[in-house]
Amino acid sequence: MIRRLFGLIGPAPDPSDPGERAVRASSPAAPIVVAPGAPVDQAWRDLVKRRALVVVALLSVWVVAIEARLFHLQVVQHADLAARAARQQHDVIKSPAIRGDIVDRHGVPFAYSVQGYSVTADPSVIANPAKTVGELCAVIQCAADERRELLKRLSDRESRYAPVRHVTAISPAQTDRLRAQPIQGILLIEETRRYYPQSELGAQVVGFVGREHVGL
């Protein structure tokens, strides 16, 4: 035992020594070293290899699925998704300039512009198109054909702009009612209307303005 504790040189300790046996019993167990190629070592290596192959296979399937989804979105559906994004991000509404008055040499007006409103709709925020059409037609007095056409336009949830009534087709009283009782998804766009107090007098010189504010 003394040689086991303090001896750094000399012969190996005697296993029959009671003190040596006590030291061996109290010391931690030495690791078991398995020689390479032994059956236990080979079984452990096979187990690790199988588990690694399973993990690699699962990762490969996951990567292939992600790549396939990205290919489908960025290549197959590219045109459709780009068009949908453009509709959601861009909304161009042209605001025509106000036309000036046309008068004779005495200041009598032949044509002048007054402020008005056209009615349009945003189908993307309309939850119930049939109900909205019913509320709208109760104000602007729609015909049966116009009601069906409005229902078709307002049911297109991909669109953000659906014309309802031109500025020349809605009266100031109807405009006031829409402003007093707003309807979800129905918008009033400020525009101008052209009036001709002299009717057809001088029409060949004065001309007239069409529905798109284009001189004719």
Side-chain angles (χ1 to χ4, degrees), residues 102 110-111 194 196 199-210 215-216:
I102 299 178
F110 276 70
R194 198 69 168 166
Y196 306 92
S199 186
E200 298 180 357
L201 182 62
Q204 292 83 355
V205 178
V206 175
F208 65 97
V209 176
L216 302 173

Side-chain angles (χ1 to χ4, degrees), residues 11-63:
D14 185 5
S16 62
D17 185 1
E20 182 66 28
R21 289 200 298 271
V23 171
R24 286 177 177 273
S26 61
S27 63
I32 299 175
V33 180
V34 179
V40 176
D41 179 65
Q42 187 62 37
W44 177 82
R45 291 177 181 274
D46 293 342
L47 177 63
V48 172
K49 185 182 296 185
R50 287 196 299 270
R51 292 182 177 179
L53 290 176
V54 171
V55 172
V56 171
L58 292 176
L59 290 176
S60 300
V61 172
W62 180 76
V63 171

Side-chain angles (χ1 to χ4, degrees), residues 105-194:
R105 62 177 181 174
H106 300 293
V108 177
F110 276 70
Y112 64 93
S113 298
V114 297
Q115 181 177 331
Y117 294 90
S118 61
V119 183
T120 186
D122 184 358
S124 64
V125 300
I126 297 177
N128 190 338
K131 180 181 177 182
T132 301
V133 170
E135 295 177 352
L136 180 60
C137 289
V139 177
I140 64 176
Q141 305 300 319
C142 307
D145 294 341
E146 185 180 10
R147 183 185 291 266
R148 287 192 295 268
E149 182 62 25
L150 286 176
L151 182 59
K152 180 180 178 180
R153 293 179 185 177
L154 271 56
S155 298
D156 184 9
R157 299 299 299 276
E158 298 295 330
S159 176
R160 296 193 60 190
Y161 175 77
V164 176
R165 280 283 181 90
H166 191 263
V167 63
T168 59
I170 184 170
S171 66
Q174 293 172 341
T175 301
D176 292 339
R177 291 181 61 185
L178 285 176
R179 296 178 66 180
Q181 300 176 355
I183 301 175
Q184 179 69 25
I186 303 301
L187 309 173
L188 291 174
I189 306 299
E190 184 176 350
E191 295 187 19
T192 57
R193 296 182 62 175
R194 198 69 168 166

Side-chain angles (χ1 to χ4, degrees), residues 63-126:
V63 171
V64 170
I66 294 296
E67 293 294 334
R69 181 59 176 167
L70 291 176
F71 177 83
H72 182 73
L73 292 176
Q74 298 183 0
V75 178
V76 178
Q77 289 188 322
H78 173 75
D80 180 60
L81 293 177
R84 291 174 59 183
R87 289 195 300 267
Q88 295 175 359
Q89 299 170 3
H90 301 280
D91 189 8
V92 179
I93 299 177
K94 296 181 179 180
S95 179
I98 299 178
R99 290 178 173 272
D101 298 343
I102 299 178
V103 299
D104 66 3
R105 62 177 181 174
H106 300 293
V108 177
F110 276 70
Y112 64 93
S113 298
V114 297
Q115 181 177 331
Y117 294 90
S118 61
V119 183
T120 186
D122 184 358
S124 64
V125 300
I126 297 177

